[in-house]
Amino acid sequence: MTDVALVHTEACLTIARSPAEVWAVLSDFHRAPLWIKNTLLKLEGELREGAELYFSFPKHPRFPGRLTRLRPLEEFGISFATRDFVFTLRELSPNQTEVCVSLQTPVYPRFGSEQTERGNLKICQAMLRQLQGVVEGEKHV
């Protein structure tokens, strides 16, 4: 059995909303297609740590995954395929939340570690921008 080389990437962004407002979007599976960067059509499953999830993409209508971490207002983790995402929230002020996303994947041999890491960073940054747009675009509670 060979060891698989892993790449760990992290990106952070400040969202002009409270942790509760960010969490409301992050943990609502119906809104996941609005911020999960890819071609996600639907996310189904139970909001419970360890729960099996199903990601629906155009070519993969029921792709399995898992809810790996669930600490309300603090940490949210999902995994599917070879990707493990963990979102962490930190209140900076009552209306400012730092959201970080870390992504761990194997090094894709076709790309090598540097190119895999650059690609993963772009994915993380895009997801954060999308999440920011959804959260800040909603009416302030």
Side-chain angles (χ1 to χ4, degrees), residues 65-85:
R66 185 156 310 281
L67 184 59
T68 57
R69 296 186 193 186
L70 186 67
R71 290 182 26 219
L73 305 180
E74 293 177 18
E75 195 172 51
F76 181 81
I78 55 175
S79 69
F80 62 95
T82 59
R83 297 176 176 179
D84 293 315
F85 293 93

Side-chain angles (χ1 to χ4, degrees), residues 2 7 12-13 24 29 31 36-37 41 45 53 67 70 74 77-78 82 104 106 108 119 127 131 139:
T2 58
V7 171
C12 298
L13 182 71
F29 293 160
R31 291 191 273 185
I36 292 182
K37 195 69 175 160
L41 301 172
L53 301 177
L67 184 59
L70 186 67
E74 293 177 18
I78 55 175
T82 59
Q104 183 170 291
Y108 300 115
M127 288 178 94
L131 179 63
K139 290 187 179 188

Side-chain angles (χ1 to χ4, degrees), residues 21-128:
E21 291 169 292
V22 175
W23 184 261
V25 172
L26 194 62
S27 62
D28 181 351
F29 293 160
H30 291 99
R31 291 191 273 185
L34 299 174
W35 61 266
I36 292 182
K37 195 69 175 160
N38 260 335
T39 53
L40 182 70
L41 301 172
K42 185 175 14 173
L43 176 57
E44 300 174 285
E46 199 178 324
L47 189 61
R48 175 183 53 78
E49 189 169 319
E52 200 164 331
L53 301 177
Y54 294 98
F55 296 79
S56 297
F57 299 101
K59 292 183 180 181
H60 302 282
R62 198 158 164 81
F63 199 89
R66 185 156 310 281
L67 184 59
T68 57
R69 296 186 193 186
L70 186 67
R71 290 182 26 219
L73 305 180
E74 293 177 18
E75 195 172 51
F76 181 81
I78 55 175
S79 69
F80 62 95
T82 59
R83 297 176 176 179
D84 293 315
F85 293 93
V86 177
F87 293 84
T88 55
L89 283 65
R90 184 171 67 95
E91 183 178 47
L92 300 176
S93 72
N95 292 317
Q96 296 252 312
T97 304
E98 179 185 59
V99 181
C100 296
V101 60
S102 66
L103 170 57
Q104 183 170 291
T105 66
V107 172
Y108 300 115
R110 180 172 142 195
F111 301 114
S113 65
E114 285 182 30
Q115 196 171 354
T116 299
E117 188 169 358
R118 276 195 306 273
N120 286 354
L121 181 59
K122 287 180 181 181
I123 290 168
C124 290
Q125 292 169 333
M127 288 178 94
L128 287 172

